[in-house]
Amino acid sequence: MNYIVGLIGSVLGWLMYYCYRILPNYFISIIIFTFGTKLVLLPVSLWVQRNSIKMVKMQPKVNLIKAKYYGNSEKISEEQYELYKREHYQPLADLIPLALQLILLMGVIDVINHPVEHIFRGESGVLDTMFGSLDLSSIPAEVGGIAYLIPFAAACSAWFMCFVQNKINVLQAEQGKLNQVGTMILSIGLSLYLGFFVKTGVGIYWTFSNLFSVVQLYFLNMVMNPKHYIDYEALERSREELKAASAFCSRNKKKLFEKDPYRKKERADYKRFFKDYEMQLVFYSEKNGFYKYFQNIIETLLEQSDVMINYITSDPKDQVFEMESERFKPFYIGENKLIVLMMKMEADIVVMTTPDLESFHIKRSLVRKDNEYIYVPHDVNSPNLTFRKEALDHFDTIFSSGPLCTEEIKRREELYKLPQKKIIPWGSSVIDNMIQSCNAMEIQKKQWKQILIAPSWQKDNILYTCIEEILHLLQGYGYHIIIRPHPQFVRHEAERLNALREKFQIDARNNMELQTDFSSNRTVYEADLVITDWSSIAFEYSFATLKPSLFINTPMKVMNEDYEELGITPIDIALRSRIGKSIDLDELASLPQAVYELLHDNAFSRESIAKIRDKYIYHIGHSGEVGAAYIMERLAYYQKRHEEEEEY
């Protein structure tokens, strides 16, 4: 540490050397030196000003997020993180000037403690450290007298700087009163300390540094005026919405608590989870409908073992509560209480489909460090493309859907020197179950070829970009067209769907329908062709029915912008031309021809698609047995280890 301080002092010593040469007066050279450090830091200050403007410019969106999810700190943090990522905002950038100031301060103290060494650089000379009757090499706490003026001057300059900051600094002016007062107290306290307990020359430096900071604030606002970038009316409106949300929650907190019919159940299940059941194996599901991802594994475990299955769900209406039995115990734990529960988890194995373990609200256990966390994928899509970069890094075991998924995980471990995870060649329960349902379904004769349009739920999907053009192009060819939006689209875009229904008179036609009932997958199995964008339904449909898919190349959903660094083409891209065709948005005129070729071309026969499926997806028809076998093997291992520990 002394070496680093000496190095910084040596660099700054040269600046002091030249300042003293401009005017050989120690007091004035300190002031010039202080001004010089501000000039050196000016580019950084400009960058921080730009970053601060960006923050305040985003503040209306931040306030609306806080208003929308008021009281849910985890969800607010997640949404803010995504906003900052989209806007390329660095929250910690505003700490840089303070950090640099402290680094400079260490160097300044070294320079002031050894002024002759830095100012004369081995040359002969006598340094006059007096300024009137004030000795700039003295320490006020030791000499007292007139030197006491320096700490108070430093404190006053700190107060003045904070006062101006709270008025005109683009970011500080938007802080709450408590933050502003806290910053002011900290600055004044630090200035008093420096003034009393370091040499008077350092106090002079700190005093003028604060004063020059005020001048710099006005300069920065002239160069980059916040009023030219920030919509202050929108900012004020967002404040009012946040204030209204706070007031509403305060007024209705007790009422909302009393009206929540599941609060009592959550409390009881939380208590029961830690009290009544043997904690060997736990599955976690985010909401109703996610049981299908575990179904084959759980059913095999129930058939072939005597293990107790504890199933946590954050949906109080989850269908699993109708399945409770002696060996299948469901628990309702909402997201907020889930945070604590997961931290106290003592189960040997935790199985979940939720990525981003450790990154957001779900953390690994704090009371046990050797739990095994298993990730089970929702679909066969590329985790490297469709997840955040570190989404799977904190799992111990990955149930891999296919060779490309395995290759991506291993390549990432090599590239970033990550601990090796167990990668189990698993497959896909969803595809296995769809194959079974499709084979069991009675085939009905159809008057027309049936085309299913099934977009993803993402920005710029088919229903946002080109659905009307697609419908116009396919009319008149004798197809029965079914539009099956994603459930989230139905929930959030009812007006858009109603407008589409009215424009194409869908309800009055017998060759076109808009399907919003998702209780059955029959239309998926019966379709002769699926048209989608980047939805995983294409692989599920083609690999279950052995029929082709047609892809519209809308903007690709990319969660990991660095996905190309692995040098592996994601399955989402690699198989688009293997199980069907893809069309760019500016080539939609070729859609009718592409549809005809997919319906009649032998290149996309059942046999050819089956070969691709068997090559890229593990253990078709047997994922449940594979997953259950691994879990039973690991549970036996943990059981043996527990017995050995008890004997010991």
Side-chain angles (χ1 to χ4, degrees):
M1 187 66 182
N2 291 335
Y3 171 78
I4 296 174
V5 172
L7 182 63
I8 297 170
S10 178
V11 173
L12 293 178
W14 280 105
L15 179 59
M16 177 63 85
Y17 172 83
Y18 288 111
C19 290
Y20 191 79
R21 293 300 175 275
I22 294 172
L23 191 62
N25 180 288
Y26 188 44
F27 176 79
I28 296 176
S29 65
I30 290 176
I31 297 174
I32 298 173
F33 171 80
T34 308
F35 182 74
T37 61
K38 290 296 180 184
L39 289 179
V40 170
L41 291 177
L42 184 59
V44 177
S45 299
L46 286 167
W47 177 60
V48 171
Q49 175 81 348
R50 187 180 297 110
N51 200 62
S52 298
I53 289 173
K54 185 181 289 187
M55 173 66 239
V56 180
K57 188 177 179 180
M58 289 190 302
Q59 195 60 41
K61 295 180 181 178
V62 172
N63 287 343
L64 293 177
I65 289 171
K66 290 179 178 179
K68 183 177 180 180
Y69 301 107
Y70 194 88
N72 188 343
S73 58
E74 290 77 22
K75 185 64 175 176
I76 290 171
S77 297
E78 182 179 343
E79 292 293 325
Q80 280 190 222
Y81 171 81
E82 292 298 328
L83 175 63
Y84 292 165
K85 188 175 178 181
R86 288 195 303 270
E87 299 292 339
H88 305 288
Y89 170 69
Q90 301 296 332
L92 299 179
D94 297 296
L95 297 177
I96 292 175
L98 178 60
L100 290 176
Q101 280 277 53
L102 294 176
I103 292 172
L104 282 174
L105 184 60
M106 290 190 295
V108 169
I109 291 173
D110 184 73
V111 170
I112 302 300
N113 283 339
H114 310 92
V116 175
E117 176 185 330
H118 292 288
I119 289 176
F120 293 111
R121 297 280 167 176
E123 301 172 5
S124 61
V126 178
L127 180 65
D128 182 6
T129 61
M130 299 300 294
F131 178 67
S133 59
L134 180 65
D135 185 357
L136 301 185
S137 65
S138 64
I139 298 176
E142 295 178 356
V143 300
I146 193 173
Y148 279 153
L149 292 176
I150 299 303
F152 291 108
C156 289
S157 69
W159 172 85
F160 180 59
M161 180 188 69
C162 291
F163 175 79
V164 174
Q165 278 183 332
N166 293 341
K167 296 293 183 183
I168 70 170
N169 177 267
V170 61
L171 189 58
Q172 191 67 21
E174 300 303 323
Q175 299 295 316
K177 291 295 182 184
L178 189 61
N179 284 338
Q180 291 180 350
V181 171
T183 301
M184 182 177 288
I185 291 172
L186 178 63
S187 297
I188 293 173
L190 179 60
S191 299
L192 277 171
Y193 176 83
L194 289 172
F196 271 110
F197 299 106
V198 298
K199 289 189 177 181
T200 304
V202 178
I204 297 293
Y205 162 83
W206 194 254
T207 300
F208 278 90
S209 177
N210 289 336
L211 295 176
F212 286 143
S213 292
V214 172
V215 177
Q216 187 181 68
L217 278 173
Y218 282 100
F219 172 75
L220 292 174
N221 279 356
M222 288 175 58
V223 174
M224 281 185 282
N225 191 335
K227 293 181 180 179
H228 295 162
Y229 303 93
I230 298 168
D231 186 346
Y232 281 98
E233 291 184 4
L235 180 59
E236 187 58 34
R237 288 195 300 271
S238 70
R239 283 199 193 110
E240 291 300 320
E241 288 205 32
L242 179 56
K243 186 177 179 181
S246 174
F248 175 82
C249 289
S250 296
R251 289 194 307 269
N252 294 278
K253 187 174 182 180
K254 184 176 180 181
K255 189 184 297 183
L256 290 171
F257 182 88
E258 291 172 349
K259 283 187 175 182
D260 183 355
Y262 304 107
R263 186 70 64 101
K264 188 175 180 180
K265 175 176 176 54
E266 181 185 39
R267 284 179 170 176
D269 280 5
Y270 183 88
K271 184 177 180 180
R272 184 167 58 97
F273 181 84
F274 287 108
K275 181 180 179 181
D276 294 344
Y277 298 113
E278 182 181 1
M279 288 293 123
Q280 284 184 291
L281 176 63
V282 170
F283 286 81
Y284 169 64
S285 168
E286 296 175 52
K287 57 185 177 181
N288 185 36
F290 277 34
Y291 177 76
K292 64 183 178 183
Y293 304 122
F294 306 121
Q295 180 179 352
N296 297 16
I297 298 172
I298 291 176
E299 289 179 354
T300 305
L301 286 170
L302 291 173
E303 291 172 5
Q304 300 182 9
S305 77
D306 58 359
V307 66
M308 176 75 71
I309 295 174
N310 303 284
Y311 192 98
I312 301 171
T313 174
S314 292
D315 187 341
K317 298 180 181 179
D318 201 311
Q319 63 177 356
V320 297
F321 291 107
E322 300 173 5
M323 301 162 48
E324 185 168 2
S325 67
E326 288 185 6
R327 289 180 43 227
F328 182 83
K329 301 297 180 182
F331 302 84
Y332 163 56
I333 307 293
E335 286 193 0
N336 290 333
K337 220 168 186 64
L338 179 72
I339 297 170
V340 178
L341 182 141
M342 284 295 187
M343 289 181 179
K344 295 168 64 176
M345 180 66 67
E346 294 191 60
D348 294 325
I349 295 176
V350 181
V351 187
M352 53 200 291
T353 67
T354 310
D356 296 301
L357 180 66
E358 286 287 295
S359 298
F360 294 109
H361 63 294
I362 299 182
K363 309 292 185 183
R364 292 181 66 105
S365 175
L366 295 180
V367 300
R368 182 174 173 183
K369 299 301 181 183
D370 63 342
N371 316 59
E372 182 171 350
Y373 287 79
I374 300 177
Y375 174 75
V376 175
H378 286 194
D379 48 47
V380 300
N381 294 64
S382 162
N384 181 50
L385 176 72
T386 59
F387 287 163
R388 296 178 182 86
K389 198 170 185 177
E390 301 84 9
L392 303 182
D393 286 356
H394 297 283
F395 286 91
D396 304 293
T397 304
I398 306 294
F399 280 12
S400 174
S401 59
L404 283 180
C405 175
T406 298
E407 190 178 353
E408 286 180 352
I409 294 168
K410 288 184 176 179
R411 187 74 59 84
R412 174 166 170 74
E413 289 175 348
E414 293 171 3
L415 184 64
Y416 287 96
K417 305 294 188 288
L418 300 173
Q420 288 189 355
K421 291 176 278 294
K422 299 185 190 74
I423 303 176
I424 309 303
W426 175 65
S428 170
S429 287
V430 173
I431 290 177
D432 287 351
N433 290 337
M434 288 183 71
I435 291 172
Q436 187 176 4
S437 298
C438 185
N439 292 339
M441 186 183 70
E442 183 181 350
I443 300 175
Q444 298 179 349
K445 290 185 178 180
K446 295 174 291 186
Q447 184 177 355
W448 300 297
K449 290 286 187 182
Q450 191 164 295
I451 296 176
L452 177 65
I453 301 175
S456 61
W457 169 238
Q458 65 184 64
K459 184 180 179 182
D460 299 327
N461 66 44
I462 287 174
L463 290 173
Y464 285 119
T465 56
C466 58
I467 184 61
E468 293 185 11
E469 188 174 355
I470 289 174
L471 295 180
H472 281 304
L473 287 167
L474 293 180
Q475 288 185 100
Y477 286 93
Y479 301 131
H480 182 78
I481 300 171
I482 300 174
I483 306 159
R484 185 181 168 103
H486 190 282
Q488 292 294 335
F489 193 94
V490 175
R491 181 181 301 175
H492 297 286
E493 297 289 352
E495 291 185 11
R496 189 182 291 269
L497 291 177
N498 289 334
L500 185 69
R501 181 183 279 112
E502 184 176 341
K503 182 169 184 175
F504 286 88
Q505 298 180 334
I506 292 175
D507 293 335
R509 305 172 65 154
N510 59 6
N511 68 338
M512 190 180 295
E513 60 180 291
L514 180 61
Q515 188 176 91
T516 56
D517 181 0
F518 306 104
S519 58
S520 171
N521 281 328
R522 188 175 187 87
T523 54
V524 178
Y525 304 138
E526 289 182 341
D528 297 289
L529 177 69
V530 158
I531 298 178
T532 187
D533 35 52
W534 295 95
S535 172
S536 62
I537 195 175
F539 298 125
E540 294 164 5
Y541 165 79
S542 289
F543 292 156
T545 67
L546 300 180
K547 299 173 187 176
S549 296
L550 194 154
F551 300 91
I552 306 299
N553 294 331
T554 58
M556 185 168 59
K557 181 180 181 181
V558 179
M559 290 298 290
N560 174 19
E561 295 178 355
D562 298 324
Y563 76 92
E564 293 179 333
E565 68 183 358
L566 300 187
I568 301 170
T569 303
I571 191 173
D572 313 62
I573 300 172
L575 296 193
R576 286 169 89 80
S577 60
R578 303 288 303 278
I579 62 171
K581 292 179 178 291
S582 61
I583 298 176
D584 292 335
L585 286 172
D586 58 359
E587 297 175 347
L588 280 178
S590 64
L591 181 69
Q593 180 64 28
V595 169
Y596 180 85
E597 291 175 358
L598 289 172
L599 292 174
H600 298 91
D601 194 339
N602 286 333
F604 301 102
S605 65
R606 293 176 59 85
E607 292 76 15
S608 64
I609 294 176
K611 287 181 180 178
I612 295 169
R613 178 190 69 186
D614 295 344
K615 178 179 179 181
Y616 286 94
I617 308 300
Y618 291 129
H619 302 298
I620 291 295
H622 301 285
S623 63
E625 294 96 316
V626 172
Y630 175 79
I631 290 174
M632 285 189 286
E633 177 188 333
R634 296 299 293 166
L635 288 175
Y637 161 77
Y638 283 111
Q639 181 65 29
K640 183 178 180 181
R641 199 175 73 179
H642 294 327
E643 291 172 356
E644 290 174 350
E645 289 172 353
E646 287 177 4
E647 290 178 5
Y648 179 77

